[in-house]
Amino acid sequence: MSSETELAATDEASERTVDEIEQLIGDRAVGRDDHVNAPGFVVRPDDVQSVLFDLRDEAGYDHLSCVTAQEYQDRYETIYHLTSYDERTDEVDVVVPSPKDDPRNESAAPVYSTAGWHEREAYDLVGIEYEGHPDLRRILLPETWQGHPLSMDYDQTQSQVVPFKENQPIQSATTSPESTDDEWEADPGTMFINIGPHHPATHGVLHLKTVLDGEQVDDVDPDIGYLHRCEEQMCEQGTYRHKIIPYSDRWDYTANMPNEWAVARAIESLADIEVPEYAQVLRTMAAELGRMMGHFLAVATFSLDINGDFTAAFQYAFRDREIVQNILEDLTGQRMMFYYFRVGGVAWDLPEPRAEFFEKIREFTDELPRRVAEYHDLLSNNEIFQLRTVDTGVLGPEVAKSYGATGPVARGSGVDYDLRRDDPYGYYPELDWDVAVQEGCDNYARVLVRLQEVEESARIVEQCIDLLADWPDDERTIQANVPRTLRPDPDTEVYRAVESAKGEMGVYIRSDGTDSPARFKIRSPCFHNLATLPEMAEGELVPDLVAAVGSLDIVLGSVDR
């Protein structure tokens, strides 16, 4: 089948799907608001749950990928970005406008668990109320915060005074830390403790409000926002051409190369820019090196959480991570905040002499199988490690899907979902590699997935350098012909995502005709994955809670943004 025939068949299938969705929603749709990547259906605020239930149960849209809230001059708006774990390219957006004088609509939380945190963030920052939400309170800012920072009438000069009583320590607790009361009623059978926000086992400034029944976790409430840096707003103040991608390196700063690709892919879709094939190979190689770097750190810190093993597994993993960092430093000139991707391609070609650069990578990949075997000897085959991780932190596949979990967290629960294969981009479709999936659904399975992915990434990198070594000199185009100033058409909207080391890293952009976004929304895989922690930890022991946090491989810069 020719490419033109394939494209026509895809368009026909897509149109058929849109017609089916239109019939399913019926008169509950009051308009259309199509986006670059997906058809959009405008529904009434009081029809949200019925529409989403039908789309999930009748049409198979079981993945709420992202929720975007924003304010216009005449309305507020919530966008639910839906897709399917089985058919990732089948996407639809449900757009819910609400009036300026009463910004509220039905909550999607009864349909998708992941909407619980997303709608809390929308309420916190934009000011939209979600009726039927089980726990609508601020998530990034303190409960005492005055106003909503992303609303148009927000006064940035107002003082934020927190009464002393709000900071009084809580002496006792019930089994419901989600309560919005100033103090929780005493329950003599339980004990409330704070884990974090400054604790090595929380992997950053994460605060876990934990209720214990003896040594068993009765309830846990992740409290985030300590590292919130307004990354979305900074991106809205930057220009598409050069000033947005550098911010992405600060989100997941342990494996940041795919973050750059997420931004580039969204902007390129918005501006209809086609990246040269040679640059796609360079991007694919760089992203996989970044993925390996992130997984080495995840394994290192997890072994520290479980075994307290600093001298062996931790140092082994950092040894290998350093080698990858050296390679990426040769490629990009930077040690950590790489900024190698550009809109339309990459910054520059491979370092000279090319043969020496290729040899350095081949030495590493040739040695990698032996080194991965060392990790299995130290960790996965270690009886103590197995006792701590097997059948702890259990996250069933349907629960993982409901929370929008992706990456090794989802694949460790048997969810066969990887955007590199399911929403093809870059040079991945042309290469031979496999998606690592484990059925264990526990802390142990998530470690196995990461170790397998390191080996798969090495396979991809090896194929990339073979291609690059044989590429004709006169066809090494590293960038498309991108206009100096990008001004996409007003009210053009797009959501695009890539597969980062942690999972689906997505970006929503709405343009207003200028050279900067009117709205820039970051979909963090760590945000979704961390929301699953209560499901994994409740009923477990305190050490198992620590193991569950470590198995998620969260980065708070990505959670809070």
Side-chain angles (χ1 to χ4, degrees):
M1 183 183 291
S2 67
S3 59
E4 291 81 2
T5 305
E6 289 177 349
L7 183 61
T10 301
D11 289 343
E12 181 181 352
S14 176
E15 186 62 35
R16 187 166 57 247
T17 302
V18 171
D19 291 340
E20 292 170 355
I21 296 170
E22 200 163 24
Q23 291 178 8
L24 180 64
I25 298 177
D27 59 6
R28 292 172 295 180
V30 296
R32 291 291 298 273
D33 188 15
D34 291 344
H35 302 160
V36 170
N37 60 305
F41 293 87
V42 182
V43 305
R44 300 180 185 88
D46 55 354
D47 284 330
V48 172
Q49 289 183 16
S50 67
V51 169
L52 293 182
F53 270 123
D54 284 349
L55 289 173
R56 187 194 70 179
D57 299 336
E58 302 296 330
Y61 292 100
D62 57 352
H63 181 23
L64 175 55
S65 182
C66 185
V67 178
T68 302
Q70 52 194 320
E71 183 183 4
Y72 291 80
Q73 292 292 341
D74 61 341
R75 69 189 187 281
Y76 286 82
E77 183 178 273
T78 304
I79 306 174
Y80 297 93
H81 306 270
L82 304 179
T83 184
S84 167
Y85 279 98
D86 292 331
E87 294 290 341
R88 177 58 180 81
T89 55
D90 184 5
E91 302 175 74
V92 63
D93 290 338
V94 175
V95 182
V96 187
S98 53
K100 293 280 281 192
D101 58 349
D102 187 21
R104 67 177 63 241
N105 60 257
E106 281 187 341
S107 170
V111 189
Y112 302 97
S113 298
T114 192
W117 273 28
H118 270 290
E119 290 176 347
R120 283 179 60 191
E121 182 179 313
Y123 162 72
D124 191 0
L125 301 182
V126 183
I128 301 175
E129 302 264 353
Y130 294 92
E131 295 181 338
H133 191 287
D135 182 27
L136 191 61
R137 58 192 167 100
R138 294 187 183 273
I139 189 170
L140 296 173
L141 299 173
E143 282 295 324
T144 56
W145 197 268
Q146 303 298 308
H148 304 278
L150 296 190
S151 61
M152 290 183 174
D153 61 355
Y154 180 70
D155 181 6
Q156 297 188 24
T157 64
Q158 67 182 332
S159 60
Q160 297 290 341
V161 179
V162 180
F164 176 75
K165 68 174 184 176
E166 300 293 343
N167 285 326
Q168 291 179 354
I170 300 172
Q171 303 297 334
S172 58
T174 65
T175 58
S176 300
E178 292 84 0
S179 171
T180 57
D181 296 335
D182 288 344
E183 294 187 12
W184 306 335
E185 295 180 2
D187 184 342
T190 62
M191 176 179 65
F192 175 84
I193 65 169
N194 291 299
I195 303 177
H198 300 292
H199 192 287
T202 58
H203 292 248
V205 281
L206 170 65
H207 176 205
L208 300 177
K209 300 177 181 178
T210 311
V211 177
L212 301 181
D213 184 356
E215 294 185 22
Q216 194 173 46
V217 176
D218 196 46
D219 210 337
V220 60
D221 178 25
D223 180 20
I224 65 175
Y226 292 87
L227 200 58
H228 187 228
R229 296 169 297 168
C230 307
E231 290 282 345
E232 295 177 357
Q233 290 66 57
M234 290 191 290
C235 290
E236 290 171 6
Q237 295 170 8
T239 56
Y240 294 109
R241 189 71 169 85
H242 292 298
K243 294 184 178 180
I244 297 179
I245 292 178
Y247 288 119
S248 64
D249 283 319
R250 279 80 177 165
W251 306 341
D252 174 9
Y253 38 76
T254 69
N256 39 16
M257 200 69 84
N259 301 354
E260 298 183 12
W261 205 338
V263 178
R265 192 182 188 200
I267 296 174
E268 287 155 4
S269 296
L270 195 69
D272 194 22
I273 296 171
E274 185 173 349
V275 180
E277 190 175 11
Y278 182 73
Q280 296 282 26
V281 180
L282 290 171
R283 284 182 168 189
T284 304
M285 178 194 69
E288 290 309 306
L289 288 167
R291 187 182 317 279
M292 296 166 73
M293 200 170 67
H295 285 339
F296 283 134
L297 180 62
V299 171
T301 54
F302 191 58
S303 68
L304 198 60
D305 289 336
I306 300 301
N307 294 345
D309 186 358
F310 182 79
T311 56
F314 185 89
Q315 296 284 32
Y316 277 46
F318 256 79
R319 170 201 64 188
D320 296 333
R321 177 181 165 88
E322 285 288 303
I323 296 173
V324 178
Q325 275 196 289
N326 291 339
I327 293 170
L328 287 175
E329 185 177 10
D330 290 343
L331 177 65
T332 68
Q334 299 293 330
R335 189 71 181 168
M336 187 173 182
M337 304 302 175
F338 300 112
Y339 188 30
Y340 180 61
F341 283 55
R342 299 292 189 273
V343 175
V346 295
W348 44 68
D349 203 348
L350 300 174
E352 297 288 350
R354 292 166 67 94
E356 183 177 312
F357 181 73
F358 292 146
E359 184 61 27
K360 179 182 290 190
I361 296 177
R362 288 194 176 98
E363 286 180 2
F364 172 67
T365 56
D366 289 346
E367 184 70 10
L368 190 63
R370 183 185 67 81
R371 296 186 174 186
V372 172
E374 291 177 339
Y375 293 120
H376 287 296
D377 289 338
L378 290 165
L379 294 177
S380 63
N381 295 332
N382 184 308
E383 183 178 357
I384 297 175
F385 186 84
Q386 290 179 1
L387 289 171
R388 290 289 312 280
T389 57
V390 174
D391 293 332
T392 65
V394 174
L395 182 69
E398 295 307 315
V399 177
K401 289 180 180 180
S402 182
Y403 279 93
T406 53
V409 174
R411 291 192 287 274
S413 293
V415 180
D416 190 1
Y417 179 78
D418 191 311
L419 270 71
R420 294 172 294 175
R421 178 200 61 196
D422 300 333
D423 186 13
Y425 60 95
Y427 215 72
Y428 292 110
E430 311 301 323
L431 305 176
D432 181 23
W433 59 282
D434 297 313
V435 176
V437 181
Q438 290 287 326
E439 304 290 339
C441 303
D442 55 14
N443 293 326
Y444 187 71
R446 291 184 275 276
V447 175
L448 293 183
V449 168
R450 292 188 179 97
L451 289 174
Q452 290 174 357
E453 285 192 1
V454 165
E455 295 187 281
E456 292 301 324
S457 292
R459 286 179 59 192
I460 294 172
V461 169
E462 286 175 334
Q463 294 173 74
C464 287
I465 62 174
D466 289 342
L467 288 165
L468 295 170
D470 296 335
W471 211 277
D473 293 354
D474 58 350
E475 296 179 14
R476 295 175 182 170
T477 305
I478 62 169
Q479 281 195 13
N481 186 16
V482 181
R484 182 180 297 273
T485 302
L486 290 175
R487 290 190 176 89
D489 293 337
D491 292 323
T492 306
E493 300 173 68
V494 67
Y495 172 78
R496 279 286 183 241
V498 302
E499 188 71 29
S500 74
K502 313 295 191 287
E504 181 176 334
M505 173 64 74
V507 169
Y508 163 86
I509 298 176
R510 173 172 61 85
S511 65
D512 60 1
T514 68
D515 60 352
S516 297
R519 181 72 170 101
F520 189 98
K521 168 69 177 179
I522 304 166
R523 190 269 187 206
S524 162
C526 297
F527 184 81
H528 290 250
N529 293 344
L530 180 58
T532 68
L533 181 63
E535 301 282 353
M536 299 165 58
E538 290 170 11
E540 303 278 11
L541 300 177
V542 175
D544 300 329
L545 168 61
V546 171
V549 173
S551 76
L552 292 173
D553 186 26
I554 56 170
V555 170
L556 270 300
S558 181
V559 173
D560 292 353
R561 291 149 287 129

